[in-house]
Amino acid sequence: MSTQKIVWNLENLYKENELQEIENDKILIKQLVEKFILNYKNKLNSKKIETNFILNALQDYEKIYEYAYIIYSYFSYKKHQNNLDENISGKYQEINEFITEIENKLMFFELELLSNSEEELVKLANSSNMEKYREYLQKEIKFKKFRLSEKEEIILNKKSQTSSSAFSRLYDELQAANEFSIKLDNKRIKLTYSQLSKYLSSYNNRTVRLNAAKSLTKRLKTDIKKYTFILNHLLLDKQISDEIRNFSSPQEATLIAYQINQNTVDSMSNTITNNYNMVSDFYKYKSSIQNLNELNEVDRYSQIIESKKNKTYTWDQAKKIILDSFNEFSPIFTNIAEKFFDNGWIDASIYKGKSNGAFCSYCVPSKNPYILLNFSGRAEDIRVLAHELGHGIHAYLSRKQNLLQYSSSTAVAEIASVFCEKLVFDKLFQMQNDKVTKINLLGNKIQESFATIFRQNAFHIFETQLHNLRKKGELSSDNINNLFQNTLQEMFGNSLHLSDDHKYWWIPVGHFFHYNFYVFTYCFGESLANSLFNVYKSNKSSFVDNYISALEFGGSKDPYELTKLMGVDVNDEQFWNGGLKIINNYIETIKKL
Ligand SMILES: [Zn+2]
């Protein structure tokens, strides 16, 4: 790996040490808020809604948040780069408190607007000059019956700082401070979780993988009580808000926000669960090749044929592979991706205190998206980079929309990322001449798809049950461990046996601590992207333009409209089976090879 350091350039937000500029912006935001209150408070509910008046209000409202999100993004990125610096954590906390204060002052806006009759509101959303805010308004109308009084909303919002947000932050800080120690080439080395993952999942020496797994479990076991406590309180906090707002199920709030029906999610999840035998058949096949009596959790992502040639890629090689494969799809994709590489919109190096995992933050339409990952040179890291660039390109194209309709529904957000992964995988596969490398690449692809579709589906079932069980009282560590273990074991049948250690491995899955019902969007996105990829392969020229313009819609269309524009119908039961067929094709190819 090259020694060049790939870190963010945040100067587009604020220059280093520009604390005075940030303070000035905060003063400006406060002034805009006071002006907003003066102009609109107690004026938004009248017998007849004035469309132009509301339009001006929406534009002013959006402008305030645009300024606030820029400061928030700046400190949140700083914190992701250095979770151990208390000064940065302090600044990050300060801006969170500042935004909560702004939100509370502006709380009246949505509530007063929603106090108009539904009939009036629908008319408003449909009027011609509301085009740029239509989707936003329609979503607001769906939440109308769950909104509380201004006073109550403010109390909940203020208290969230010391409840859910505080527990999420505590989780992050505990995770970032974790250190794992393993023995490698007779030397003991200390690793962060990101560094450990490499030795845990795909490293080509089973003994090292087993040692890494032991080291992970040991750490998690020591801290299990803390994480059980945090998760219980996050679940209870969610339960309390649902009760107060009168949501009928733990999923309801999320599904309204994602604009997806429960039926669509259920039909997807059932199709995947009904196909668990695909996973167990594959792992039986894998264990027969590897002559192992029993596979366990460290064999889920390992090479099919253990090869000592552990192929790694430099940053520049990864960049070239990605840009070339995007270019075959559309030069528009390459041009946008180049901006990420050239302007410091990616933070890829591994260093102490940096956040684990990978993400793309949309930031605001007037700036640019930012990507974080921990690049160690594996083919897997190229996949992650392509994935996050997929989000990044989507965000960049969505900048045609305004802030309130910038990001698309979370349910379909994973389409763009998985689609880019597929483009890059095809390229990587074609590039190889060696049979073993080809088999291992395909094997990785199959196993990664299992992780995205089947494992995330199991996560979804686990998460749903967690919320339902928490309603009956506090969960013990054993409750959570066993639920996790049993739900995850199911996808493997009797082909791979998860050891007792694995039952603690729900802890590093940040999604259970940061979001509610996010995980199903991975299976949703991967299945959708698989089907879209088939559409693309069969009709390249017409697909590319439709796909790019669908991405440009950002959050201005709901998931059903968007997927229709891309040429697929998620209401069709057969559709989900179609997504799984691609994996079957990969399995057939690997058997032939
Ligand atoms: Zn993603």
Side-chain angles (χ1 to χ4, degrees):
M1 203 183 141
S2 71
T3 47
Q4 90 197 94
K5 213 170 174 198
I6 312 295
V7 289
W8 279 325
N9 172 7
L10 298 177
E11 289 202 350
N12 193 19
L13 301 176
Y14 290 103
K15 300 211 169 21
E16 198 65 42
N17 300 321
E18 289 290 334
L19 292 177
Q20 190 51 49
E21 204 185 318
I22 293 174
E23 282 314 308
N24 293 345
D25 280 355
K26 281 164 91 173
I27 294 168
L28 175 71
I29 292 170
K30 281 183 186 161
Q31 286 166 348
L32 288 173
V33 169
E34 291 316 317
K35 211 172 130 195
F36 188 84
I37 295 171
L38 212 67
N39 287 346
Y40 303 108
K41 194 155 187 170
N42 297 323
K43 291 174 191 161
L44 295 159
N45 183 334
S46 62
K47 286 241 156 56
K48 217 177 145 11
I49 303 183
E50 278 291 335
T51 345
N52 275 330
F53 184 67
I54 306 285
L55 183 64
N56 288 337
L58 280 164
Q59 284 164 344
D60 291 347
Y61 180 73
E62 198 169 49
K63 201 195 281 166
I64 297 171
Y65 276 114
E66 178 113 13
Y67 278 119
Y69 285 163
I70 293 172
I71 311 181
Y72 168 80
S73 301
Y74 180 73
F75 285 119
S76 115
Y77 302 156
K78 283 272 195 201
K79 183 162 158 43
H80 278 299
Q81 289 182 310
N82 196 344
N83 283 286
L84 304 175
D85 186 324
E86 285 190 355
N87 183 31
I88 293 171
S89 292
K91 290 273 174 220
Y92 174 72
Q93 179 63 19
E94 201 179 301
I95 184 64
N96 270 307
E97 288 171 19
F98 176 79
I99 289 182
T100 308
E101 205 183 302
I102 302 298
E103 283 171 348
N104 290 340
K105 286 194 167 164
L106 297 179
M107 189 74 80
F108 78 90
F109 173 65
E110 289 181 343
L111 297 172
E112 228 182 87
L113 191 62
L114 287 178
S115 69
N116 289 286
S117 75
E118 189 157 341
E119 198 194 338
E120 282 285 332
L121 289 168
V122 172
K123 228 197 283 170
L124 173 76
N126 288 331
S127 70
S128 58
N129 51 357
M130 278 299 162
E131 206 200 321
K132 285 192 163 235
Y133 296 96
R134 187 163 300 139
E135 200 55 36
Y136 165 79
L137 287 169
Q138 277 165 353
K139 212 157 89 181
E140 284 296 305
I141 297 170
K142 284 189 191 142
F143 275 113
K144 179 174 157 72
K145 64 174 175 179
F146 305 107
R147 299 300 295 261
L148 310 169
S149 72
E150 188 181 351
K151 238 183 190 169
E152 291 166 317
E153 291 282 1
I154 290 177
I155 295 171
L156 283 183
N157 202 27
K158 282 197 171 179
K159 278 290 188 186
S160 75
Q161 296 174 97
T162 50
S163 50
S164 55
S165 308
F167 282 118
S168 271
R169 187 180 144 195
L170 177 60
Y171 170 81
D172 282 345
E173 291 183 7
L174 284 172
Q175 287 283 298
N178 269 345
E179 250 184 4
F180 304 91
S181 123
I182 61 164
K183 222 169 150 186
L184 201 67
D185 303 328
N186 280 325
K187 255 196 275 167
R188 197 149 266 291
I189 51 168
K190 285 200 164 142
L191 304 165
T192 64
Y193 180 70
S194 291
Q195 292 165 325
L196 181 79
S197 321
K198 169 174 155 182
Y199 299 108
L200 196 60
S201 57
S202 57
Y203 198 70
N204 60 9
N205 179 328
R206 193 168 194 260
T207 313
V208 174
R209 291 202 304 275
L210 285 168
N211 284 337
K214 284 269 167 275
S215 163
L216 171 68
T217 307
K218 194 177 156 198
R219 180 79 248 153
L220 300 179
K221 235 173 167 171
T222 318
D223 291 338
I224 181 85
K225 281 201 168 151
K226 288 178 203 157
Y227 293 109
T228 300
F229 184 91
I230 294 174
L231 188 60
N232 263 296
H233 283 80
L234 284 166
L235 291 166
L236 180 61
D237 185 73
K238 158 85 173 127
Q239 193 188 315
I240 293 170
S241 344
D242 281 352
E243 261 171 38
I244 296 175
R245 294 185 186 279
N246 238 334
F247 282 109
S248 60
S249 70
Q251 295 94 325
E252 193 173 15
T254 309
L255 294 182
I256 296 176
Y258 291 179
Q259 296 153 287
I260 278 284
N261 305 324
Q262 183 75 55
N263 288 344
T264 311
V265 179
D266 290 346
S267 125
M268 174 204 75
S269 180
N270 291 337
T271 310
I272 297 171
T273 308
N274 289 336
N275 280 285
Y276 275 179
N277 61 327
M278 238 171 108
V279 180
S280 56
D281 287 352
F282 179 79
Y283 282 108
K284 275 180 197 157
Y285 172 69
K286 185 176 178 179
S287 73
S288 73
I289 290 180
Q290 298 195 333
N291 280 324
L292 276 170
N293 281 337
E294 193 173 76
L295 303 181
N296 73 16
E297 58 274 12
V298 303
D299 305 306
R300 289 175 301 172
Y301 311 113
S302 62
Q303 291 173 323
I304 305 297
I305 299 173
E306 227 166 72
S307 157
K308 287 284 161 258
K309 283 184 289 175
N310 204 15
K311 187 152 177 60
T312 55
Y313 301 82
T314 64
W315 179 249
D316 289 334
Q317 284 169 330
K319 177 178 162 183
K320 188 173 180 334
I321 292 167
I322 285 178
L323 291 178
D324 286 351
S325 44
F326 284 2
N327 209 37
E328 281 168 28
F329 177 71
S330 162
I332 296 176
F333 267 44
T334 325
N335 288 340
I336 300 174
E338 272 172 344
K339 291 182 199 293
F340 280 81
F341 287 107
D342 296 346
N343 298 322
W345 298 353
I346 306 176
D347 198 302
S349 297
I350 296 179
Y351 49 90
K352 198 165 184 234
K354 178 174 169 175
S355 292
N356 295 331
F359 64 78
C360 168
S361 161
Y362 272 40
C363 201
V364 295
S366 62
K367 297 292 179 184
N368 57 269
Y370 288 89
I371 287 173
L372 176 142
L373 75 151
N374 288 275
F375 184 86
S376 62
R378 301 169 301 165
E380 154 75 11
D381 296 324
I382 301 184
R383 180 188 72 80
V384 173
L385 178 57
H387 179 106
E388 299 309 336
L389 276 167
H391 285 306
I393 291 170
H394 189 186
Y396 190 85
L397 289 168
S398 306
R399 300 193 318 160
K400 292 195 169 158
Q401 309 297 329
N402 41 35
L403 181 64
L404 293 177
Q405 298 192 153
Y406 181 30
S407 46
S408 63
S409 156
T410 310
V412 287
E414 293 300 328
I415 296 179
S417 49
V418 179
F419 192 84
C420 279
E421 275 186 43
K422 295 233 170 300
L423 292 173
V424 171
F425 175 75
D426 267 17
K427 181 89 196 162
L428 261 177
F429 189 70
Q430 285 159 15
M431 277 168 63
Q432 315 303 329
N433 306 314
D434 173 54
K435 209 173 188 178
V436 172
T437 313
K438 266 184 141 79
I439 290 174
N440 280 334
L441 252 178
L442 262 181
N444 286 345
K445 184 76 207 155
I446 294 163
Q447 296 176 132
E448 279 162 8
S449 295
F450 287 164
T452 315
I453 297 183
F454 295 92
R455 183 164 174 257
Q456 298 288 341
N457 179 59
F459 280 180
H460 172 66
I461 297 169
F462 166 69
E463 188 183 20
T464 308
Q465 295 202 32
L466 265 185
H467 282 274
N468 291 332
L469 286 173
R470 181 62 187 85
K471 285 185 183 164
K472 295 175 191 153
E474 183 149 292
L475 301 167
S476 67
S477 303
D478 277 349
N479 291 151
I480 305 174
N481 290 348
N482 293 336
L483 179 64
F484 182 72
Q485 187 78 343
N486 295 337
T487 317
L488 269 289
Q489 182 60 58
E490 233 171 89
M491 69 178 261
F492 299 103
N494 57 8
S495 67
L496 181 151
H497 184 77
L498 299 171
S499 81
D500 211 38
D501 282 357
H502 173 271
K503 67 183 183 191
Y504 300 94
W505 292 15
W506 52 272
I507 296 171
V509 186
H511 293 78
F512 301 138
F513 297 86
H514 291 130
Y515 314 102
N516 294 300
F517 302 100
Y518 188 97
V519 289
F520 87 83
T521 65
Y522 287 111
C523 358
F524 205 84
E526 172 105 9
S527 302
L528 269 165
N530 278 347
S531 301
L532 281 176
F533 207 69
N534 274 344
V535 182
Y536 161 59
K537 288 272 164 183
S538 59
N539 195 347
K540 288 193 176 182
S541 57
S542 72
F543 178 83
V544 176
D545 291 343
N546 286 343
Y547 181 69
I548 291 177
S549 56
L551 294 184
E552 283 174 342
F553 278 116
S556 65
K557 299 245 180 275
D558 75 35
Y560 296 97
E561 291 173 289
L562 272 182
T563 45
K564 207 164 248 174
L565 282 169
M566 292 174 178
V568 294
D569 179 9
V570 289
N571 283 320
D572 181 1
E573 287 264 332
Q574 274 313 302
F575 166 77
W576 299 110
N577 273 315
L580 297 176
K581 269 191 198 125
I582 289 195
I583 309 175
N584 248 336
N585 292 343
Y586 288 147
I587 297 177
E588 290 309 313
T589 315
I590 212 172
K591 285 182 178 169
K592 268 183 216 150
L593 278 169

